Amino acid sequence: MNAGLRRCIADWLVRLAASDTTRRWGFGLCYLFLRNVKGFRWNHKRVRRIYCELELNLRIKPKKRLVREVPEPLAVPARPNEMWSMDFMADQLSDGRSFRTLNVLDDFNREGLAIEVDFSLPAARVVRTLNQIIEWRGKPMGIRVDNGPENVSAALQTWAAKRGIGIFYIQPGKPQHCEPARHRFECGEQAYVERYNRTVRQEWLGQFIFNKGRGGQGTRHQVAMDLQQ
């Protein structure tokens, strides 16, 4: 292979791997970009060989396979606000302090409705966030959650009962185990919001370092603004 051509291909692949906008691309997207956008007519196998030699392959964490007693597909809502999902995530600022995010998703079209950020997100804060969403979105028929302390709290259950909203808990340790129930959404799986969490982790939290604000003030607001951009 021509040494100059080899250096040119390697240089482009390294540039794509280092860019903030393309660093999460796999080989397929990189090759299509170089061929269709940049106009290079390089041989697919040649580019692939250099890509592997540079060890640019994305490392995929192997999934832990769980034994599922009754594997069933997750029900797909027929309309918006039929079923929401919400879940928590955690990360750290550059000074080591931990913060949390509350992610709320509409299962119908996988639309992210809110990412609430703070150092602590108790049940009262969860209720406030949900009320703020309902003001512009309308209320859901149900919300699917895990069995975390904020979700099993009396505050959330009382709020949901007053609003006429069902709270559907996943089965602990059984992400796809569904118990017989009259409501078709009473199924223990959070695939939609977990997929959304993965995007938040890979594209935002894992890509940036969040600094503390002056005197520690405004930090959570800055993180929230960064996540929304």
Side-chain angles (χ1 to χ4, degrees):
M1 183 189 301
N2 182 279
L5 176 60
R6 182 185 180 89
R7 284 195 299 270
C8 182
I9 296 175
D11 178 65
W12 269 105
L13 291 174
V14 171
R15 287 166 62 182
L16 291 176
S19 172
D20 288 338
T21 57
T22 59
R23 64 192 306 174
R24 294 300 307 172
W25 288 5
F27 170 75
L29 283 177
C30 290
Y31 179 75
L32 290 175
F33 175 81
L34 294 174
R35 187 188 66 180
N36 298 337
V37 178
K38 294 301 180 180
F40 296 118
R41 297 302 175 185
W42 294 329
N43 179 272
H44 178 276
K45 293 182 179 179
R46 173 180 295 174
V47 179
R48 176 72 180 182
R49 183 164 58 252
I50 298 175
Y51 181 86
C52 294
E53 290 175 357
L54 293 173
E55 298 183 349
L56 298 177
N57 310 62
L58 293 177
R59 289 168 175 76
I60 301 176
K61 182 180 179 180
K63 297 181 179 179
K64 181 180 179 181
R65 300 297 180 181
L66 300 176
V67 178
R68 296 169 176 171
E69 299 177 8
V70 186
E72 295 182 7
L74 185 62
V76 180
R79 61 189 67 85
N81 290 348
E82 194 167 331
M83 179 61 66
W84 293 358
S85 294
M86 66 180 188
D87 198 13
F88 292 90
M89 297 178 64
D91 210 307
Q92 288 186 333
L93 300 176
S94 59
D95 62 358
R97 286 184 298 168
S98 297
F99 65 88
R100 305 182 74 197
T101 72
L102 169 64
N103 303 338
V104 185
L105 187 78
D106 190 323
D107 289 0
F108 169 69
N109 55 1
R110 323 299 193 267
E111 178 183 356
L113 304 179
I115 300 179
E116 188 74 5
V117 182
D118 211 329
F119 297 114
S120 176
L121 292 170
R125 184 67 175 276
V126 173
V127 169
R128 191 183 81 178
T129 301
L130 293 173
N131 281 330
Q132 291 173 342
I133 301 173
I134 290 173
E135 287 180 2
W136 62 269
R137 176 76 175 192
K139 74 174 185 178
M141 294 173 57
I143 303 176
R144 183 185 291 107
V145 298
D146 60 21
N147 296 270
E150 300 88 355
N151 298 328
V152 301
S153 66
L156 181 62
Q157 294 179 4
T158 301
W159 169 85
K162 290 181 178 179
R163 285 276 195 170
I165 300 173
I167 300 295
F168 301 97
Y169 295 96
I170 69 171
Q171 296 295 313
K174 298 180 181 179
Q176 281 197 349
H177 180 69
C178 302
E179 296 292 343
R182 291 178 295 177
H183 198 292
R184 68 189 182 97
F185 283 107
E186 203 157 336
C187 177
E189 187 187 28
Q190 278 192 303
Y192 296 145
V193 74
E194 287 172 359
R195 175 64 181 84
Y196 182 74
N197 289 350
R198 189 170 71 207
T199 298
V200 172
R201 176 72 63 188
Q202 292 181 346
E203 301 298 334
W204 296 327
L205 297 180
Q207 297 292 329
F208 303 98
I209 297 176
F210 299 101
N211 297 317
K212 62 182 180 179
R214 294 181 179 178
Q217 300 298 320
T219 303
R220 64 176 182 271
H221 304 295
Q222 184 61 48
V223 173
M225 291 174 62
D226 291 341
L227 288 175
Q228 293 168 3
Q229 291 178 351

